[in-house]
Structure formats: structure tokens, C-alpha cells
Amino acid sequence: MTSLSPPPLPPPADVRLFPLGDAAVVLEFGTVISPATHRAIQAVGAYLAQHPFAGLRECVPAFTTLTVYYDLWLLSKNGQPPYETAEKILQELLPAALATEVAAVAAVVEIPVCYGGAFGPDLDAVAAHVRLTPAEVIARHSAPDYLVHMIGFAPGFPYLGGLNERLATPRRAQPRALVPAGSVGIAGAQTGIYSLPTPGGWQLIGRTPRRLFNPEWAQPSLLQAGQRLRFVPIDEAGFYRLQQHEH
Amino acid sequence: MSISILRPGLLTTVQDLGRHGYQKDGILVSGATDAVSLRVANLLVGNTEDAAGLEITLLGPRLRFDADHLIALTGAHLSPTLDGQPVGLNRPVWVAAGTELAFGTAVAGSRSYLAVAGGLAVAPVLGSRSTYLRAGFGGLEGRALRAGDHLPCAAPSATGRQLMAALAAAAASATWAQARWAPGPALCPVPRASPVVRAVVGPEYGQFSVESQQAFWQQPFTVTPEADRMGYRLQGPTLTRHTAAELLSSAVTFGTVQVPAGGQPILLMADHQTTGGYPRLAQVITADFSVLAQLRPGQTVRFAEVALAEAQALYLAQERRLRALRQAVETRTR
């Protein structure tokens, strides 16, 4: 695969800091989803993981923000309001954090998907909406390398960027009460994978036998923000064969 | 040492202070909805504050202590009894093996906490014993308690053993005995019917119309029946933004007031999702989470604006009171 030179980082001055309640600082890297923004968030997240300041609780990356939760008690020691202390610490470390090398993702994670049929009950509806055949939808969905922008909604659920714009389809008018784990869905210009059986309104085009979340794993989410992912079509026999290895 | 569940109550779960550090994996924090009440209960039985106890919701369980234990009940007043006799809240209680705990009328509040000296010894998952119902892990098999369950308990601390011995000696032939002392109302408030909770403005506050901003601070909101550990849907004046722009999903947390397009706010609680895409109008301050936790469907709540620095000062004052209580309990056993 071709290697791309990293996109330029935003200067620290372009990062806006503001509070989320009394125990978190939001770092906002603009308001547009882009690989450069994503990389900046990854860099700062990696820096804080490697150099946690006293009182850092945890970081939650999202599309254009990194939210940093802090411990008010530990940040109150100097007599200043804890938010001011947290903001000052983050402002000071931002230049170094933005320059952090984000570990190159060694390989693209391949997610086998059995498209259509009982595993992808909305494939035909998506194909009709975008005026393609189901086979063309599968080909376009499994062609690109996707970027995992964030994990949210449910444990291990990846929000993926890079869906072929032609495949954008609105959510279902009526959400399903229960979407099986592993279901691969489309919602507007997004695609993602349901990691647990939950209610959901995304258009389901297939299902993967891979398990996306297991609390017993040292790293309980199969995917992390920053990873790249590709869907690989498999047939039903392949689905059941792979499923046996997963559970 | 264990506790047998005879009747589970409406929703009784094992909770500690939550599962921290995994929100980046989409794993929510969970933990006691009224964390202060759980921490007080733990301190009263000589536990560390993060020991696991029971979160009891509105309709309490019936359970039996299979060995001698030291317990404490805090939070909502759900008319607890031991072997049929009313027992006090907010104090250490020695119970003999075979004693039964039951609950009656819900007098005030909605969530009561039971701590047992040593803590509930269910297996931790990702560093916490909290039950995460939606994903089905933590606590006891990832679910609410059922009749027939047995909850294992760990050994009490030295403080817990001393408190227990002193109360057992005073009990004479009774099956239980409670301490005559209790912390003050600052840490053990009686839940109010129509409380005011304090909040700071949220990141999208400025996107709401001035009328909506004023309505939020001035008018009461009713907690609807759609109120659970994940969040409360509120009903009140319709809150509107002066922009229709969709937001990108970003972090949300306990106490976040989100406003979907319909204009009725949602208040996020202990089992809040890690990220959300609805505008965040306000954020209830950490020092008032316990007040939120004790609201019941049908009750009204009002919001009062405070500055961020004041919110943090109120939190620190609460933490100092908890530290003072820890010292006071230790002093009593010297």
C-alpha cells in the first residue's frame, strides 16, 4: 500500500479550549472532520497517555475534539481554581503534544463481512436508494480503507470515515429494537459496526463474525481511534467458519 | 460471608465508584448514581470509599445476612427494617447472622445504598465492580439482582471489625444494633420534593435563544417516567436554538443537559453514553449529582446558574466534608 506523507498539523493557537462542566476541558481542533484534525487529536491523546499530568483522569477523542477529564481535588493544591490550572497545563504542553509522532498503524485491520441476506436486511433498500445493484454497493463498500475516527455509542463501536459518497443513505424511519452484534450499517455518509446487540436505526447491509468488544481482553475494544480498516466480503459458510474461532 | 437475596426489589445492582479510563473504547463509567451516598455508607463501615455496595431503587429488596455483618444504609429513605423493626439511616449497624433486611414505603428520594463492611466481593471487570446493564458485565453477572442470588462479601477492615465488635457487645440478645451517632445533614441530606440544582453553562449554551436560556433558569422541569440510570427525560418549556446546524458527536458526561430538536431536555446520569451529538445547554455541577440521583419521575426540578469557579469550590467543600467524616470514623475506633 502507498504511504502518504502526514497532513500538516494545526498550530496550537488554532486549538480552542473550553470547559465541559466542572471536571473536564474540551480541546477543539476546528469544526471540520479531516485527516489532519484526526491526526492532531491522536497526537495530543498519545502525548497525554505517555506524559500524564497529575490529576489527569481520562481522554475521550471524538471527530474534532479531545475531552480531557481531570481530578478537581488533585488540581486544587496550588490554590487556583482547578479549571484554570488544567487549562494552563494543557496550553503549555500543546506545542510538544502536537509534535508527537503518532505510531504508524502497521496494518489495515481486515473485517470480513457477509453482505446481504439475513445478515444485511437493508442491502436491497440501500441499493435502490442509491440506484446501484446490490453487488455494486458491496464492491464500493469494501473498496476503501476506512479511518476509525472514534469509538462511541456502545463499547467498541467504531465511527468510520471514508465511505464512498455515492452510498450515503438516510437512517431507517423506524429504528430496530435490536440490531445483532457485528451488523455493518450505513447512516447518512457514515458507516460503522454494531459492537453489541443494541437498538439502532442504521441501514444494515451485512454482518461480520469478528467480535468487536470483549471486556476480558487486555484492550477490550478490537478497534481504536486512528486505526485503518477494510471490509472483506465473505460468504455465509465463511461467516460461520470464522464465527467458530471468535467465540 | 454472604448476603442472600430473597426478593430483588425494582432494580437492585452492585455499584462502586465506576469504571474509569475506558471511555475512549466507548465503555461508559457507570458506578453509583449517588456516589456521595455510597461513599458515606462505605466510610461508616470502615471501607475504602470505592468499595462495592448495593444501589437500591425505589422499591427495596428483601435480603438475609448469612453471617454477622456491619452494614450502613444511606441515600433515599425507603423505610428500611431489620427483622421487622425500623432501622436508622446513615449509621453503622451490626446485624447477626440470619437477620433480614426489608424495605417499605419510599418516603423521600429514589436511590438507597447498602454498604457492608469489607465490600461486596464480586469479580471486578476492567477495574470496577459496577454493573453495566446495557453491555451485561460487572456486578453480579452483569445484571440486576434476582431472588436466590448470593452476594459474597470480603473481610472487614480493622476499623470495621472494631465498630462491629462494639455494637455487637451493646446488642445483648437483640439480632441487630445501630450506632447512636450519624454524620451531619451536609453529607446525609434528606432528599427534597422539588429541589434546585446548580449548573454551569454548556458548550452550546450560546446557540440557544435568549428566551430559551431564560426559561431554562427560571422555569421548573418535570422528571418524566423515562428516567433511568442512563438519563432522565425532562418536560418543561420548549428550548430552541437559533441555528439548525447539526453538531459533530463529542464527549458528554454525568450531568450534561442535552437538548434534542424537540426542545425537551435530557439529563445524563451515571450510565451516560461516552459521546453525543445533541447540543449541550448546561452541565449540572458535580457537587449536586446526589440531588439529581434522588429525583423521582413526576417530581420537578429547577436549575440555578453558578460560575465554574464556584462549582469547583462547592465540589472541594464536599470533598473536605468526606475527608472529615473518614477521620471522625477512625477517631471513634481509637
Side-chain angles (χ1 to χ4, degrees), chain B:
Chain B
M1 291 194 296
S2 74
I3 298 171
S4 296
I5 306 301
L6 308 176
R7 273 208 313 262
L10 181 64
L11 176 69
T12 306
T13 58
V14 176
Q15 298 293 343
D16 58 18
L17 296 183
R19 193 167 277 114
H20 298 276
Y22 296 96
Q23 291 196 78
K24 64 178 173 50
D25 291 333
I27 299 171
L28 38 103
V29 177
S30 303
T33 310
D34 181 349
V36 172
S37 288
L38 177 64
R39 292 168 73 184
V40 169
N42 275 325
L43 289 173
L44 290 172
V45 296
N47 288 350
T48 56
E49 293 172 41
D50 59 355
L54 288 184
E55 179 173 287
I56 292 160
T57 316
L58 282 169
L59 184 64
R62 186 175 181 88
L63 49 84
R64 188 181 58 234
F65 299 96
D66 298 327
D68 286 22
H69 279 293
L70 181 72
I71 65 166
L73 288 159
T74 58
H77 190 336
L78 307 181
S79 305
T81 59
L82 284 169
D83 285 345
Q85 298 300 311
V87 57
L89 295 177
N90 309 320
R91 62 198 66 213
V93 183
W94 170 79
V95 292
T99 305
E100 284 189 16
L101 172 67
F103 293 85
T105 313
V107 177
S110 64
R111 292 181 171 91
S112 187
Y113 292 85
L114 169 66
V116 53
L120 299 175
V122 297
V125 177
L126 301 174
S128 166
R129 294 182 169 86
S130 285
T131 311
Y132 176 4
L133 292 169
R134 220 162 269 258
F137 65 80
L140 193 70
E141 299 170 3
R143 57 170 173 79
L145 297 188
R146 295 179 192 147
D149 282 342
H150 294 280
L151 286 168
C153 305
S157 67
T159 301
R161 284 197 305 272
Q162 286 179 50
L163 288 168
M164 197 167 158
L167 287 168
S173 62
T175 59
W176 60 274
Q178 62 187 1
R180 284 198 293 265
W181 53 274
L187 281 177
C188 304
V190 177
R192 301 160 73 109
S194 300
V196 176
V197 298
R198 292 162 291 189
V200 295
V201 296
E204 283 78 49
Y205 181 78
Q207 295 183 5
F208 286 83
S209 69
V210 173
E211 295 75 27
S212 292
Q213 291 174 355
Q214 288 174 347
F216 179 71
W217 302 117
Q218 289 168 4
Q219 295 189 39
F221 289 85
T222 305
V223 180
T224 72
E226 285 180 88
D228 60 16
R229 281 184 45 86
M230 187 175 180
Y232 301 166
R233 284 179 183 272
L234 304 180
Q235 194 169 34
T238 300
L239 306 171
T240 54
R241 291 158 79 210
H242 52 61
T243 167
E246 284 285 312
L247 299 171
L248 298 173
S249 286
S250 184
V252 291
T253 187
F254 198 137
T256 303
V257 180
Q258 290 187 311
V259 185
Q264 297 295 302
I266 299 172
L267 190 50
L268 298 182
M269 300 297 291
D271 279 355
H272 64 84
Q273 69 275 27
T274 58
T275 56
Y278 293 127
R280 296 160 292 185
L281 171 64
Q283 176 73 40
V284 174
I285 68 171
T286 306
D288 283 355
F289 285 176
S290 293
V291 181
L292 294 183
Q294 297 300 346
L295 286 169
R296 295 184 197 176
Q299 283 187 336
T300 57
V301 58
R302 285 173 184 270
F303 297 95
E305 185 177 1
V306 293
L308 180 56
E310 187 184 351
Q312 298 194 320
L314 288 163
Y315 171 88
L316 295 172
Q318 190 177 65
E319 290 299 307
R320 280 191 288 273
R321 283 195 287 271
L322 282 159
R323 278 164 170 77
L325 174 61
R326 187 194 300 158
Q327 283 196 327
V329 172
E330 281 166 9
T331 305
R332 288 198 169 261
T333 56
R334 276 194 207 115

